[in-house]
Amino acid sequence: MTALSPLNFRKIAALVAVAGTLFWLYTFYFIAHVPQGDGTGFQWLAVFPLGLIFGLFFLPAWLLVAINRLPRFTTLVGVCGLIAFAIIWAQLLNEFPKS
């Protein structure tokens, strides 16, 4: 019997950062395809809180993964970022005009 290898938190943190980054990029695509509503383009204001979440949670996570520092903390920061994305995105989906 071999002992299970310990979790590699650096890889987990990198996967969480990839998931957050890909979701952030997807939001631009989604917002670009939202029906116009009243034609003012205010749906693009949703980019600011989403960008703030990306900047506060995922840019530091990428930096910490790159320099291989604090992998457990980095994983926690990334997971908190995903939770923040979920909360803000749920609110934004209620605000976007329906087709």
Side-chain angles (χ1 to χ4, degrees):
M1 293 219 137
T2 60
L4 294 175
S5 61
L7 289 176
N8 188 343
F9 282 100
R10 183 177 185 212
K11 287 182 182 178
I12 295 170
L15 289 174
V16 170
V18 165
T21 302
L22 289 176
F23 177 76
W24 180 65
L25 292 173
Y26 167 75
T27 61
F28 288 96
Y29 172 79
F30 184 87
I31 292 170
H33 290 88
V34 167
Q36 285 297 322
D38 60 357
T40 59
F42 275 116
Q43 72 269 19
W44 285 104
L45 289 176
V47 170
F48 291 104
L50 297 170
L52 183 68
I53 291 170
F54 179 76
L56 290 176
F57 291 99
F58 295 104
L59 286 180
W62 278 117
L63 175 68
L64 290 171
V65 165
I67 63 174
N68 198 19
R69 294 283 192 182
L70 305 170
R72 290 184 176 139
F73 175 73
T74 305
T75 303
L76 180 65
V77 167
V79 169
C80 290
L82 291 177
I83 292 169
F85 266 151
I87 292 169
I88 297 298
W89 190 245
Q91 293 295 319
L92 288 173
L93 287 178
N94 290 328
E95 299 294 327
F96 291 141
K98 308 294 186 261
S99 56

